[in-house]
């Protein structure tokens, strides 16, 4: 009992109403404190509870925070023997003057009301007031996706008085950069939060004047590993898969055509999937450069086979004409002209044992095929058979076009060079 009497707060033992203690009914709280005098200073500090989401499509972010205001209103001063404060909920806020701070560029915002309105008002005997509320706000963030997904984004939440210019209300950060506190557990799935900091400046409106504006700035760095797995690696593998056709026989038309079409369609699917989750910006993103260059490499591999197939057809037509010309001009009895290429089997080569090589088209004229004019001969010893068989076998295995040979080096070398430039510029 003695301890209770010693530590008792006399202000909270007031027998009358709280309104009578604060003398709320004796003043006109529709007017700001010190009306007609200098601007009233209102300090602000913020504690960020969570950064809920970042939307690239809508270009906005959602943040939950504790917003606190500090000012002095002598009309709320009251007598106290131990200088202790009084704490109220949101019901008293409707009866007194509070700063009309709002969020600039806000799309949606609300004060939490579970289980009651999350508002606190603390009044000190000398008239100093602490006004705190818990707010969730969705605000606009102008994002630049020119380096996406190797980008960093800087967003800001802006606070300003709606009605009072800088001549009536001076809004400022109460403790400078220390006025902004963040929860250490804040994390995002796609971003790394690099820095939070505060700034302030004046904002001008042509119709109403100058206003104090406070900024909560934060910088986000995007995690790249997700996009490496979902975008860059599949695109690179498709490009490498398209190079497999350079090692496939040029006469295997179904194999090379189907491989080329499959890689082209897969690259188109990857590009469509990436752009579906992005805003339709009018400039080129970093991921667009990589995907479209990869698409061009895949498409060029299809065109490369088209060129090989066309040149092969032209070459065979010329060789057919040469074969017809030689068969008509030789005049040797019992002669036979044959075309040797990669489609002849070993039995075809063995069938040449009864012939002797009479004429051969020069090597420089026929790099891939050989037209051999064979005359009948009665000589067929085993040594001649082995020599002819070895020579024909050597020509048969040379069935790769020169374009394929060069493509095996040019395509990988060029793509590796592109990757070196790309990652050095954007990373």
């Amino acid at each position: 009992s003695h301890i209770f009497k010693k530590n008792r707060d006399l202000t909270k033992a007031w027998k009358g109403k709280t309104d009578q203690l604060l003398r709320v009914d004796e003043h006109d709280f529709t007017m700001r404190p010190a009306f007609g005098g200098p601007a009233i200073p209102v300090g602000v500090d913020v504690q960020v509870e969570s950064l809920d989401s970042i939307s690239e499509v809508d270009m906005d972010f959602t943040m939950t925070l504790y917003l606190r205001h500090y000012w002095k209103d002598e009309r709320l001063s009251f007598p106290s023997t131990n200088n202790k404060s009084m704490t109220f909920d949101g019901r008293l806020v409707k009866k007194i003057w509070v700063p009309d701070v709002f969020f600039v560029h806000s799309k949606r915002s609300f004060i939490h009301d579970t289980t009651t309105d999350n508002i606190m008002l603390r009044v000190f005997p000398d008239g100093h007031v602490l006004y705190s509320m818990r707010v969730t706000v969705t605000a606009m963030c102008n994002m630049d996706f020119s380096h996406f997904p190797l980008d960093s984004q800087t967003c800001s939440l802006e606070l300003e008085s709606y009605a009072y210019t800088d001549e009536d209300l001076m809004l400022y950060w109460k403790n400078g950069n220390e006025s902004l506190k963040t929860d250490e557990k804040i994390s995002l799935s796609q971003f790394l939060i690099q820095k939070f900091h505060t700034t302030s400046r004046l904002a001008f409106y042509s119709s109403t004047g100058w206003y104090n504006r406070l900024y909560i700035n934060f910088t986000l760095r995007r995690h790249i590993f997700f996009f490496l797995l979902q975008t860059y690696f599949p695109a690179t593998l498709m490009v490498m898969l398209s190079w497999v056709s350079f090692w496939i026989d040029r006469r295997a038309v179904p194999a090379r055509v189907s491989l080329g079409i499959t890689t082209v369609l897969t690259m188109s699917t990857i590009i469509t999937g990436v752009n579906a989750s992005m805003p339709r910006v009018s400039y080129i993103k970093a991921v667009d450069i990589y995907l479209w260059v990869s698409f061009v490499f895949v498409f060029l591999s299809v065109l490369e086979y088209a060129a090989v197939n066309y040149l092969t057809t032209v070459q065979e037509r010329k060789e057919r004409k040469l074969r017809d010309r030689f068969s008509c001009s030789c005049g040797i009895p019992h002669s036979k002209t044959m075309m040797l290429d990669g489609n002849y089997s070993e039995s075809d080569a063995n069938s040449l044992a009864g012939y002797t090589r009479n004429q051969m088209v020069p090597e420089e004229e026929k790099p891939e095929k050989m037209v051999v004019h064979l005359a009948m001969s009665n000589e067929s010893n085993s040594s001649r058979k082995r020599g002819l068989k070895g020579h024909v076998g050597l020509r048969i295995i040379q069935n790769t076009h020169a374009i394929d040979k060069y493509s095996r080096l040019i395509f990988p070398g060029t793509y590796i060079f592109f990757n070196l430039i790309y990652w050095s510029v954007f990373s």
Side-chain angles (χ1 to χ4, degrees), residues 9 26 73 116 118 129 162 172 314:
D9 184 5
E26 298 178 9
D73 190 347
T116 59
N118 295 174
V129 181
Y162 190 83
Y172 68 98
V314 172

Side-chain angles (χ1 to χ4, degrees), residues 46-50 63 178-186 193 195-197 216-218:
V46 171
Q47 180 173 345
V48 179
E49 180 182 6
S50 64
M63 178 185 294
E178 299 297 326
S179 301
L180 180 61
K181 304 292 184 181
T182 58
D183 194 334
E184 296 180 355
K185 298 181 180 179
I186 294 179
I193 302 176
K195 182 175 63 174
F196 272 96
H197 66 281
I216 303 174
N217 304 306
F218 55 94

Side-chain angles (χ1 to χ4, degrees), residues 144-400:
D144 182 13
F145 298 107
S146 58
H147 283 66
F148 175 88
L150 306 170
D151 59 333
S152 296
Q153 303 294 340
T154 299
C155 301
S156 62
L157 183 63
E158 306 171 14
L159 296 87
E160 183 182 302
S161 173
Y162 190 83
Y164 297 100
T165 65
D166 61 338
E167 297 178 354
D168 291 319
L169 190 147
M170 184 179 68
L171 205 63
Y172 68 98
W173 290 110
K174 188 174 185 297
N175 298 312
N177 286 331
E178 299 297 326
S179 301
L180 180 61
K181 304 292 184 181
T182 58
D183 194 334
E184 296 180 355
K185 298 181 180 179
I186 294 179
S187 63
L188 294 170
S189 59
Q190 290 192 26
F191 292 93
L192 172 65
I193 302 176
Q194 292 185 320
K195 182 175 63 174
F196 272 96
H197 66 281
T198 61
T199 55
S200 62
R201 64 186 67 175
L202 289 174
F204 177 73
Y205 297 90
S206 58
S207 301
T208 53
W210 293 89
Y211 294 81
N212 294 110
R213 182 176 294 182
L214 306 181
Y215 295 81
I216 303 174
N217 304 306
F218 55 94
T219 303
L220 304 172
R221 177 75 177 178
R222 195 182 303 273
H223 294 299
I224 186 60
F225 189 72
F226 171 81
F227 296 94
L228 288 177
L229 292 178
Q230 300 296 324
T231 304
Y232 287 96
F233 284 167
T236 303
L237 291 177
M238 287 300 104
V239 175
M240 297 174 64
L241 183 61
S242 68
W243 300 339
V244 175
S245 65
F246 304 151
W247 277 266
I248 300 178
D249 191 339
R250 56 179 172 166
R251 289 177 179 78
V253 177
R256 295 190 67 164
V257 171
S258 61
L259 179 61
I261 294 177
T262 300
T263 52
V264 168
L265 294 178
T266 304
M267 283 301 306
S268 301
T269 303
I270 295 175
I271 294 174
T272 303
V274 172
N275 291 329
S277 60
M278 294 296 299
R280 297 178 180 178
V281 295
S282 58
Y283 50 85
I284 298 176
K285 303 182 291 293
V287 68
D288 293 335
I289 296 176
Y290 193 91
L291 291 179
W292 279 105
V293 170
S294 300
F295 183 86
V296 168
F297 270 88
V298 172
F299 186 72
L300 288 178
S301 67
V302 179
L303 295 183
E304 185 270 348
Y305 177 63
V308 169
N309 188 271
Y310 174 76
L311 294 177
T312 301
T313 303
V314 172
Q315 181 177 339
E316 289 177 350
R317 188 180 301 117
K318 291 180 179 179
E319 291 173 349
R320 190 178 301 110
K321 292 180 180 178
L322 287 174
R323 182 186 62 187
D324 295 339
R325 185 179 64 182
F326 273 95
S327 63
C328 296
S329 61
C330 290
I332 300 177
H334 306 290
S335 64
K336 184 176 182 180
T337 302
M338 298 188 67
M339 180 76 70
L340 301 183
D341 59 20
N343 291 330
Y344 279 84
S345 63
E346 185 178 358
S347 60
D348 298 326
N350 292 334
S351 65
L352 301 176
Y355 299 90
T356 60
R357 186 175 61 181
N358 191 17
Q359 290 184 1
M360 181 182 297
V361 177
E363 185 70 21
E364 58 273 10
E365 295 182 6
K366 297 291 174 288
E368 296 300 330
K369 294 184 178 180
M370 181 176 63
V371 178
V372 182
H373 189 71
L374 300 169
M376 294 297 296
S377 174
N378 295 325
E379 300 177 0
S380 56
N381 55 60
S382 60
S383 60
R384 183 180 301 175
K385 291 182 180 180
R386 289 194 298 268
L388 183 58
K389 185 187 299 184
H391 183 77
V392 173
L394 178 63
R395 300 298 301 170
I396 289 175
I397 63 175
Q398 295 179 356
N399 194 35
T400 301

